[in-house]
Amino acid sequence: MNVWIAIAATALGCYLVKLLGLLVPAGALERPLVKRLSALLPVALLAALTAQQTFSTDHQVLLDARGAGLAAAALALAVRAPFLVIVGAAVLVTAGVRALGG
């Protein structure tokens, strides 16, 4: 039964956050600082999620094949490669490191 309580609490929390967003006055959203922060927040959250998924396993920080794949993707991104090349480089490097025993 605890799972259903958690699901209900999460659903209620999501609804309340959405409601609070709708109640914010339009004038507050037009401020330059708010516009800059709202443009940068998704990038920061995605970077944090990527780092957490890449460098942690079961409450431990570790560097394994996923880190090498991320580094390959970052290198391909730095040379302005197309998106599919970036993903392919990450996949190939990760698979290669895992095949070598890493």
Side-chain angles (χ1 to χ4, degrees), residues 17-25:
V17 166
K18 187 167 180 101
L19 182 64
L20 284 173
L22 293 172
L23 295 176
V24 173

Side-chain angles (χ1 to χ4, degrees), residues 22-33:
L22 293 172
L23 295 176
V24 173
L29 299 176
E30 296 300 323
R31 295 181 182 155
L33 178 64

Side-chain angles (χ1 to χ4, degrees), residues 6-21:
I7 291 171
T10 302
L12 180 64
C14 289
Y15 179 77
L16 290 175
V17 166
K18 187 167 180 101
L19 182 64
L20 284 173

Side-chain angles (χ1 to χ4, degrees), residues 42-56:
V43 175
L45 289 174
L46 184 59
L49 179 64
T50 301
Q52 190 272 333
Q53 290 292 316
T54 302
F55 300 114
S56 70

Side-chain angles (χ1 to χ4, degrees), residues 54-55 63-74 89-90 93-94 97:
T54 302
F55 300 114
L63 186 61
D64 60 359
R66 297 174 294 177
L70 183 63
V93 169
T94 302
V97 170

